[in-house]
Amino acid sequence: MRRTIDIYLRLISVQIRSQMQYRASFLMSLSATALITFLGFGSLAMVFWRFDNIGGWTLWEVGFLYGMVEAAFGTMDLFFSGFNPHIFSRLIRMGTLDQILLRPLSVTLQVLGSSFIMKRLSRISQGALIFVISVAMLDVHWTPAKVAYLPLVFFGLMCFFGGFFVIGSTLTFWTVQPIEVVNIFTYGGREMIAYPMHIYERWMRDFFTYIVPAIFLNYYPALYFLEKPDPFGMPDFAPFLAPVVGVGMLVASFAFWSYGIRHYQSTAT
Amino acid sequence: MAPIIKVENLHKHFKVARHRRGFLGAFRGLVSREYETVRAVDGISFEIGRGELVGYIGPNGAGKSTTIKILAGLLVPTGGTVIVNGRVPWRERKSHVATIGAVFGQRTTLWWDLPVIESLELLQYVYDVPPERFRRNLAEFREMLELDQFLETPVRSLSLGQRMRADLCAAMLHDPMLLFLDEPTIGLDVVAKERIRQFIRRINRERGTTIILTTHDLSDVEKLCERVMIIDHGRLLFDGELSELRNRFGGEREMVVYFDQEYDEVAVDGAEVVSRNGKRVTYRFDGHEITASELIGRISARHRIRDLSVREADIEDLVRKIYEGRLLEAPDAG
């Protein structure tokens, strides 16, 4: 285990040093991403300027959701850079995956260590900033349980979206090119759960409850943190499913990933 | 001694979608696909002993790299058994690849943006090489491959020859028992090729590393390998010593004769006139039927010879003929 962590850190440090070599491009993309994220929240604030609430939620309540999703997704995007389907599909096309299979290390570990896109830091910090400001404005009633649960929700969100990255990458074993449909879940899902789920149409909400259970990752935990009533009458434990759903999603996607690697090893030319 | 590689009746079949032509064809291809089975490797058996240096040659698409990928543990075969170093490569990938080294010609195992030395140091951890052994190996390979001039250069800025040397060093740092080299000299100039051949020869002799070399450049095989395996259409056409290949298939030789003057009639029994250019005439003859000196005797009985030279069939020609199927009736091939 210690060896695994040691190797992982070394691989990541290579990625960081490589990006530092291109300093101008690094700083530019960092500030560009920061700008885009701020514009995103800016347009949200504009909506509030006109309507003063979304589905009964105030700007800061939505900011709580929004900031959390942005920060968690950004962190996932950073640590799962290698599993970003667009980046991973390049490993297949360039034959780098064969080089990975030739090394006496886990393939998953090496893919995780094959990319670490530092400019994601800007999305993380923007999200964190929005979250912190919102919390400060909201006067949340913090209990020890809430404080302890917050990182678990964050972790669940990361695992959940990481799972979609892993699935998207695994599909490229068959398709070589990344599949756009997966983006609907990853990026579309991210946009979707950044807002309170009760504003959506029934069929859409059902989809994100029973098919892709994203609703447990953000909306229900937010109801718990902000002490809001549950409009859908889910069981009382619904807000606490976030880590379970997230980890379950990631475990399932890694099972698919292993299957994909076996497929690759029997068909790759 | 037990062989390091034992391959029996190896098969690898791929299903390849048949492409339909044109726009409509591409559309239909999306809806329903017809598959074609390609037998990349079609029943190959061989054994390789420890310390051998084997040339594995064949035209493009013959099944060379598929075989190598199976031996390296990257691919799972459709059928047959493979034991490398007592292991089934694809079943125990991690422990298997820890004992092999591989250089796949066009691709580098090194980190693109890192200086060479840092890539090598990183590989020390990847392969868990003890520091003392790493230092010793690195010192030796630096000298053998003359790496010092570009050790601090990022891999992306290396020339092809330099990159190949760095990759060879990377493949050998963990003392693999078995080394796969896929086109190690492709695209290199004569000097660079020679340096790499010397390295291959030395590690084979001094360290006893078993080496399998696939190449298009038959002079690699001629200079390095005693044993050669020729594959085409997924089948082994020849497996034996290079000299045997020459003896068996290399009967044809050529003799270029410069006459004193231009003769009208230059034909002789037992040889065929291949080309004729003034006083210079090229004969082709079968070494099994007539010796060079007999032929010279026959020619000089009629004409005055000023000078001559005899050319051995070169292995490139031989191999081409084998591919073309002209010499396929080899009794123990496959």
Side-chain angles (χ1 to χ4, degrees), chain A residues 36-237:
Chain A
I36 289 167
T37 316
F38 251 149
L39 285 179
F41 191 69
S43 57
L44 178 71
M46 296 283 274
V47 172
F48 277 96
W49 183 57
R50 290 274 311 193
F51 298 102
D52 78 51
N53 74 73
I54 288 182
W57 285 38
T58 66
L59 170 66
W60 303 118
E61 283 167 344
V62 177
F64 182 93
L65 270 178
Y66 190 95
M68 169 98 102
V69 172
E70 283 295 311
F73 188 92
T75 312
M76 182 288 292
D77 213 0
L78 177 68
F79 284 96
F80 280 73
S81 295
F83 276 106
N84 183 320
H86 292 271
I87 291 172
F88 179 77
S89 65
R90 226 180 296 153
L91 292 189
I92 294 188
R93 283 200 304 274
M94 310 279 286
T96 315
L97 194 65
D98 285 346
Q99 298 295 341
I100 282 176
L101 284 166
L102 277 172
R103 294 194 193 121
L105 296 175
S106 129
V107 178
T108 309
L109 175 74
Q110 292 185 77
V111 173
L112 283 171
S114 70
S115 181
F116 197 76
I117 303 174
M118 297 282 283
K119 66 180 181 197
R120 307 289 188 236
L121 283 172
S122 68
R123 167 159 256 145
I124 301 170
S125 48
Q126 300 313 310
L129 190 64
I130 290 167
F131 181 78
V132 167
I133 293 174
S134 301
V135 167
M137 302 299 288
L138 275 173
D139 191 24
V140 178
H141 175 235
W142 288 105
T143 63
K146 281 187 185 176
V147 174
Y149 189 48
L150 187 66
L152 289 176
V153 173
F154 191 86
F155 181 71
L157 275 165
M158 275 180 62
C159 292
F160 184 74
F161 285 118
F164 281 111
F165 264 24
V166 173
I167 289 171
S169 288
T170 305
L171 287 172
T172 61
F173 283 126
W174 284 269
T175 60
V176 182
Q177 294 290 339
I179 316 250
E180 293 301 328
V181 162
V182 181
N183 292 345
I184 297 176
F185 296 106
T186 5
Y187 300 103
R190 179 193 69 200
E191 294 299 321
M192 171 112 192
I193 67 172
Y195 299 96
M197 298 294 278
H198 62 264
I199 65 170
Y200 300 113
E201 296 274 347
R202 173 80 191 266
W203 65 269
M204 219 167 156
R205 211 171 49 236
D206 283 350
F207 181 82
F208 281 99
T209 305
Y210 300 107
I211 315 279
V212 181
I215 199 168
F216 301 109
L217 269 308
N218 197 32
Y219 184 68
Y220 272 98
L223 293 181
Y224 165 68
F225 286 115
L226 304 178
E227 294 174 11
K228 284 176 163 294
D230 173 10
F232 309 122
M234 279 279 170
D236 288 346
F237 58 80

Side-chain angles (χ1 to χ4, degrees), chain B residues 268-292:
Chain B
V268 288
D269 281 347
E272 172 196 354
V273 177
V274 184
S275 71
R276 184 172 177 175
N277 187 5
K279 297 175 190 171
R280 185 170 170 275
V281 178
T282 307
Y283 296 92
R284 185 183 293 151
F285 63 103
D286 187 338
H288 297 312
E289 284 169 15
I290 182 171
T291 65

